[in-house]
Amino acid sequence: MKSDILIIGGGAAGLMAAYGAAKALPEGSKATVTVLEKMPRPGRKILFTGKGRCNITNLKNWNEFSKHIRTNPNLVKPSFYNLTPENMVEFLESCGLETIVERGDRVFPYSHRASDVLDTIVDAVMRQGVKLLTEREVELVKEVPGGGFEVFCSGGEVFECERLIIATGGLSYPVTGSTGDGYKWAEFLGHRIVPCFPSLTALVPRGYKILEGAEPVMKGHISRETAMTAAGESLKGAKLKNINLTVTYDGSVKETEFGDLDFTDGGIEGPVGFQVSRKCVKTLMNGGRVAFSLDLKPGVPLEELTQRVKGLWNEIKNDPRTCEAKGGRGINGKEMYRILLGKLMPWDLIPGFQAWNPDILKASLRRNDYSSRGASGRMTYDVDLIMLAKTLKDWRFDIAGFVGYERCVITAGGVSTDEVVAKTMESKVRKGLYFCGEIIDMDCDTGGYNLHCAFATGLLAGQSAAKSLSLAYEG
Ligand SMILES: Cc1cc2nc3c(=O)[nH]c(=O)nc-3n(C[C@H](O)[C@H](O)[C@H](O)COP(=O)(O)OP(=O)(O)OC[C@H]3O[C@@H](n4cnc5c(N)ncnc54)[C@H](O)[C@@H]3O)c2cc1C
C-alpha cells in the first residue's frame, strides 16, 4: 500500500502531524496522508490527561514556557512560534471546542472532558481527508534505497511512503499503546537514543510499601502494584496544601519547592512531588540517596509554632468540655492529642501523621495504688509538644524508590535532539524522516507543557513533510 506521507502513531503529536501535513498540501494535490495507530482508537493517552480533564496547553509566553521544558527547549522553539498556546486554543475553538483558563495559565476544555478534546482533534484530522487506520501495529521500518521508506505491520501489511513521521510517544502508561516501539526503529535508522527514564512520577517513602521479594525492573523502581504497608495505607488519600518540600540528594544538595502534595497508592505525588521527581529518579537510578522533609507550616517559624502548639494544648486542657466529658472523669491525653492535631492539620492526615510519628505520644501504665491486688492500672499519655512542633516543620521521609513507566506521566530521554532539525523536525541522519512528540529527548513539567510540545512539534513535522514533498513533486 502506498501513502505519500505516513505517520506512525495516532497520539497528540501524530494527529497534529496528520492535520498539519494534509492542510499544508497544495490545493488539488493528490498526495495522501495516512496515520497507522496500533490501538483500536487513536489518542488513547489524551483521555487520561489531566485526570480525565486534559490540560491542553499553557498560555505562558516563550520566556516563561521554556523554563518548564526540562531538556532541549531550543528544539521546541520554532515549533512553539509556529503553534503558540494561543494558536492552539484558537484552533480548538474554531473547531467548536470551548476552553477555560485555570490557575497557572493552564488551559482545559470548558466541559472538563478530555474526550471532547480528542474528538475535536480527530474530527479536524478526518475533515482534511487523512486516512486514519487503527489496529495497525508497526513492527519494522526500512529505508528504501533511492528514497522513501517501507513500513511493516504485524498483520503482514506493508506500506510505502515518501515521507515518514514517527510519533510513537515514549514508554509511559503502556496501556495507552505507548510502549517505546519507535526507539528501536530510530536507532536502526542511525539515531542516538538518549537513555530513557520515568519522570513526573510517584516517589515511594521507605515503609510505605512492602518491599520484600519485589523484583525491580530498574534500580530504584517500585511497581505501583506493590502492596502497601499499614503505615502507607494510613497516609494514602491525604492531600497537603501549601507546604514546603525540601529534598536532600546524597545527604547534601538541597532543593525546596512550595505547593501542594498528595499521598496516593503509588507514593508521594501532586504538583510539588512531580516537580522534584525527575532529579529524584535520576539520583535513585544512579544508586544515590534521596530524603524528603515536609514543612506543614512554612509561614510560621519553629519558635512561634512551638508556642502556638503549647497554647492550643492548654486551651484544650482547660476547656470545660474536656474536664466534664465522660461523666466528669475528663478525656485522656490520647484523645486530647487528636483534638490538638485536628487544629493543626486536615483530619484525613491525622491517622498517617500519628502512624509515622509514634514517639510524639508516649503511653505509660500508671499503677493504681488503690488496687488491693496491685496488678491493675491505668494508661496515661504524655504528648511531647516540642517534638510535635519540630515534626510539623520537619517531617522526614527516606525515599526508597519510584513508580516506573507503568504509571509515570512522561518519559525523559529519547531520540537525540542533536540529530533533529528544530525548524522542520526532520532527521539530520535520514532525509524524509521526521520525529515529533514524546519520542524525542524532551520532557516538561506538569501544566499543559508536555501536550503543547507534542501538538506543536507534530504540527511542524507534518507541515514540513508536506512542503518538502510538494517541492520534490514540483521539481
Ligand atoms: C496519566 C497522564 C496524564 C497526563 N496529563 C497531561 C496533561 O494534562 N497535560 C499535558 O500537557 N500532558 C499530560 N500528559 C503527557 C502527555 O499525555 C504526553 O506528553 C503526550 O500524550 C505525548 O504525545 P505523543 O503523541 O508524543 O505520544 P502518545 O500520546 O504516547 O502517542 C503515541 C501513539 O503511538 C501509538 N503507537 C505506539 N507504537 C506503535 C506502533 N508500533 N504502531 C502503531 N502505533 C503505535 C500509540 O498507540 C499511541 O497512540 C499526561 C500523561 C499521562 C500518562
Side-chain angles (χ1 to χ4, degrees), residues 271-288:
V272 164
F274 280 161
Q275 190 63 22
V276 299
S277 71
R278 192 180 200 283
K279 196 165 171 187
C280 291
V281 171
K282 267 193 124 173
T283 306
L284 292 163
M285 282 179 77
N286 290 332

Side-chain angles (χ1 to χ4, degrees), residues 141-145 147-150 188-189 429-431:
V141 171
K142 276 189 190 166
E143 196 181 24
V144 176
F149 298 87
E150 273 182 337
F188 179 70
L189 292 169
V429 182
R430 302 281 155 169
K431 229 187 139 11

Side-chain angles (χ1 to χ4, degrees), residues 244-248 291-295 393-397:
N244 261 355
L245 165 65
T246 300
V247 190
T248 309
F292 279 6
S293 161
L294 301 187
D295 180 350
K393 294 288 295 171
D394 182 16
W395 181 2
R396 294 187 189 188
F397 295 91

Side-chain angles (χ1 to χ4, degrees), residues 110-168:
Y110 187 76
S111 65
H112 294 292
R113 281 198 306 259
S115 56
D116 290 348
V117 177
L118 177 59
D119 291 347
T120 305
I121 296 173
V122 170
D123 284 352
V125 169
M126 301 303 278
R127 277 201 305 275
Q128 293 301 321
V130 171
K131 253 196 228 168
L132 193 43
L133 304 180
T134 55
E135 299 189 82
R136 301 303 204 286
E137 182 177 15
V138 174
E139 279 190 330
L140 185 65
V141 171
K142 276 189 190 166
E143 196 181 24
V144 176
F149 298 87
E150 273 182 337
V151 170
F152 300 81
C153 290
S154 57
E157 282 170 301
V158 181
F159 290 82
E160 284 170 33
C161 63
E162 297 296 325
R163 300 289 179 270
L164 178 65
I165 302 177
I166 302 184
T168 44

Side-chain angles (χ1 to χ4, degrees), residues 42-310:
R44 180 126 198 260
K45 190 175 277 180
I46 293 176
L47 301 177
F48 287 82
T49 56
K51 295 187 178 148
R53 298 200 306 136
C54 186
N55 182 186
I56 306 164
T57 183
N58 191 294
L59 290 178
K60 291 196 171 54
N61 64 29
W62 174 250
N63 279 349
E64 288 304 311
F65 190 107
S66 58
K67 288 179 191 158
H68 296 273
I69 306 177
R70 295 294 186 105
T71 34
N72 306 309
N74 285 340
L75 179 91
V76 184
K77 196 172 178 181
S79 299
F80 179 92
Y81 280 111
N82 185 53
L83 179 78
T84 63
E86 286 81 4
N87 296 155
M88 186 65 202
V89 170
E90 281 156 22
F91 163 67
L92 292 171
E93 298 214 331
S94 72
C95 297
L97 184 87
E98 276 187 79
T99 59
I100 182 168
V101 184
E102 294 193 0
R103 189 165 54 99
D105 306 316
R106 295 170 306 151
V107 181
F108 290 85
Y110 187 76
S111 65
H112 294 292
R113 281 198 306 259
S115 56
D116 290 348
V117 177
L118 177 59
D119 291 347
T120 305
I121 296 173
V122 170
D123 284 352
V125 169
M126 301 303 278
R127 277 201 305 275
Q128 293 301 321
V130 171
K131 253 196 228 168
L132 193 43
L133 304 180
T134 55
E135 299 189 82
R136 301 303 204 286
E137 182 177 15
V138 174
E139 279 190 330
L140 185 65
V141 171
K142 276 189 190 166
E143 196 181 24
V144 176
F149 298 87
E150 273 182 337
V151 170
F152 300 81
C153 290
S154 57
E157 282 170 301
V158 181
F159 290 82
E160 284 170 33
C161 63
E162 297 296 325
R163 300 289 179 270
L164 178 65
I165 302 177
I166 302 184
T168 44
L171 287 151
S172 44
Y173 252 70
V175 288
T176 62
S178 320
T179 45
D181 302 1
Y183 299 128
K184 58 177 185 280
W185 314 323
E187 206 166 16
F188 179 70
L189 292 169
H191 292 264
R192 189 171 70 86
I193 306 298
V194 175
C196 296
F197 61 93
S199 188
L200 304 182
T201 195
L203 295 152
V204 188
R206 200 169 298 287
Y208 202 81
K209 298 256 182 175
I210 301 168
L211 298 182
E212 291 84 44
E215 268 299 315
V217 289
M218 67 186 106
K219 200 172 172 61
H221 173 238
I222 298 172
S223 165
R224 183 107 183 180
E225 278 71 50
T226 308
M228 301 187 74
T229 59
E233 288 285 357
S234 70
L235 270 180
K236 188 179 85 181
K239 290 180 186 301
L240 309 186
K241 296 238 169 282
N242 301 326
I243 55 103
N244 261 355
L245 165 65
T246 300
V247 190
T248 309
Y249 302 98
D250 287 325
S252 56
V253 188
K254 290 201 173 173
E255 173 187 1
T256 299
E257 293 289 340
F258 172 78
D260 302 346
L261 179 149
D262 302 337
F263 289 99
T264 69
D265 61 335
I268 293 177
E269 294 186 49
V272 164
F274 280 161
Q275 190 63 22
V276 299
S277 71
R278 192 180 200 283
K279 196 165 171 187
C280 291
V281 171
K282 267 193 124 173
T283 306
L284 292 163
M285 282 179 77
N286 290 332
R289 283 172 295 122
V290 175
F292 279 6
S293 161
L294 301 187
D295 180 350
L296 304 187
K297 304 282 170 198
V300 192
L302 177 61
E303 254 180 51
E304 192 183 324
L305 185 64
T306 310
Q307 291 315 315
R308 190 187 291 180
V309 166
K310 286 180 177 169

